[in-house]
Structures are given as structure tokens and as C-alpha cells.
Amino acid sequence: MIEWSKLTDPEIDALDRNLPVILPVGLIEAHGAHLESGFDSYSADWFARRLCAEAGAILLPVIPYGFADTNWEYASTLGVKAETLGMIIGDLCILLARHGFKKIIVLSGHGGNGIGATLGFQRAFEVFPDLQPAHWCYFLTGGVPMSHADEKETSLAIAIGGVVHMDRAEDFVLKKPWHEVYSRKSIAPKAGGMNGKATLATREMGEDILNRILPVLVDKLKAIIKE
């Protein structure tokens, strides 16, 4: 696997510029009482590593602090504003492009990071209009939507080695209003950021989800490499 942070300057300079660079981005975020707060970051890094290993792309270090959107008020959530994330992603895209790497995939473990990615791409386009960036939220792009710490995300965490406390799992289905909200805690103060039926999570469900997501992402990545 080509891991940027473990290579020397001459080794990086010798890399094929046609190879995509994958930047995993997560979020430290409330996931109830049963799932680790860092799972969005852990899972983004996990999928990025698998993709790079299987398709030959270049792996960048994970950014753990993504866009802290509606779960920002829960105790374990640590992140940044969308504009801040956009500045970071934009700066990295500009430097990567200066070095000749213009195929850049932001692989996210948190859906809200797409806002920051879009802001960053637009900023980088002003300097490199021929940049080829994309934002993939691994579960949405992979075709398996899931909610915060629900049975799907919890099952996936079990399957890939995340920190899960099934003895603490509870079910809570959030009734979302028709409009956007600024704070999820304001409408569900005791939910701990979760939404779903975590008690139904199983390793088998997680392995099925994994086997559905990973081939889709690998095929997309291999097609990009061939371009």
C-alpha cells in the first residue's frame, strides 16, 4: 500500500501522478452509550486503507475533526465548522495539485462533511481549475444509507473492529421535523446522538454491509485509475 506519511520526499516525488489520492475525513461525534465517539474517523480510515490496498491509490493521513453539525451539543462531539473544514480541504487540494496530484477523493465517514468538501473544492478550483476532486461518504456512495449509531452502523463497527458496547445499546428512533435543525440535542436531549435500533446489530449484518459497500467503492476507484 502507498501510504504518503511513511514515504520519503524522493519516494513521493517518484509516484505516478495519475494515481488518485484518498483523504479520509471523519468526526469525533456522539454515538449513544454503545458506540465510540471516534467511529466516523476510524471507519473512514479503515475504508480508505482497504481501498488503497486493493486498488493501488495513495493514502493520506485521516483528518479526525470533520464538520460538527447537528450533534454538536452532545458531550463527546468534537469537530469544526464547515467553513473551517473547507479551508483545510482546500489547502490540501491546492498543495497536492501543485505537486501534480489532481485526482483527489475525500472519503468521509460522516455525511455532513460533504459541505466542507464542496467548499474546499471550490476554493481549490480558483487556483487549479483542472482539479479532479470528489467527495465519497463511504456508506452513501456504497449504497447503504445508515443513521447515527443505528443497527447498521453498529453492526459495521462490530465487523471492522470498532469499539462497541452491546450491553449498553438502546433503541431510539428520532422523529425528525420537516425542516433543518441547528441542534439535535434540542429535540432529543437524552438520545446521546443516536437514531435507530442498535439492539438489533449483529456481526453478520455488519459483514453483509461491508461486502456490499467495499466492491462498489473498489470498482469506482479502479475506473478512475484507468482514466
Side-chain angles (χ1 to χ4, degrees):
M1 184 172 67
I2 307 172
E3 193 166 353
W4 187 288
S5 63
K6 293 186 177 180
L7 299 178
T8 65
D9 189 71
E11 289 171 332
I12 291 173
D13 196 35
L15 292 176
D16 182 358
R17 267 45 177 185
N18 188 57
L19 290 176
V21 176
I22 297 185
L23 172 62
V25 183
L27 175 63
I28 309 302
E29 181 182 41
H31 285 90
H34 66 285
L35 188 58
E36 62 184 308
S37 59
F39 184 68
D40 291 358
S41 300
Y42 175 84
S43 58
D45 185 63
W46 191 95
F47 274 96
R49 288 179 177 277
R50 285 293 299 269
L51 286 174
C52 289
E54 295 196 26
I58 302 167
L59 177 67
L60 294 181
V62 63
I63 297 175
Y65 302 109
F67 173 35
D69 48 4
T70 58
N71 274 348
W72 67 276
E73 279 190 304
Y74 292 109
S76 62
T77 300
L78 292 173
V80 298
K81 294 181 178 180
E83 295 88 349
T84 305
L85 182 60
M87 292 290 287
I88 294 169
I89 290 175
D91 284 351
L92 290 173
C93 285
I94 290 169
L95 273 177
L96 285 165
R98 289 193 190 282
H99 297 323
F101 300 93
K102 295 187 178 180
K103 294 180 177 180
I104 302 169
I105 298 168
V106 174
L107 185 70
S108 179
H110 174 67
N113 287 341
I115 300 171
T118 298
L119 291 172
F121 296 159
Q122 292 301 317
R123 184 163 178 267
F125 279 140
E126 294 177 2
V127 184
F128 291 97
D130 59 341
L131 191 71
Q132 296 175 278
H135 173 259
W136 294 356
C137 179
Y138 70 80
F139 51 90
L140 295 176
T141 304
V144 186
M146 55 185 71
S147 296
H148 291 280
D150 68 356
E151 62 274 20
K152 293 180 185 177
E153 187 172 34
T154 303
S155 295
L156 182 62
I158 296 171
I160 68 175
V163 178
V164 182
H165 304 278
M166 284 304 296
D167 58 314
R168 305 177 192 172
E170 296 180 354
D171 296 342
F172 181 88
V173 179
L174 178 69
K175 294 182 179 180
K176 296 182 180 181
W178 64 268
H179 54 86
E180 289 287 335
V181 298
Y182 178 55
S183 165
R184 182 172 293 202
K185 190 175 181 181
S186 66
I187 58 175
K190 297 182 179 180
M194 72 155 298
N195 178 22
K197 298 182 178 180
T199 60
L200 300 180
T202 64
R203 179 175 297 275
E204 292 73 21
M205 184 187 298
E207 291 174 348
D208 176 67
I209 291 169
L210 175 60
N211 291 332
R212 289 160 60 191
I213 291 176
L214 198 57
V216 173
L217 299 183
V218 169
D219 286 347
K220 287 175 67 69
L221 186 57
K222 288 181 176 179
I224 292 168
I225 293 173
K226 290 179 180 179
E227 288 184 0

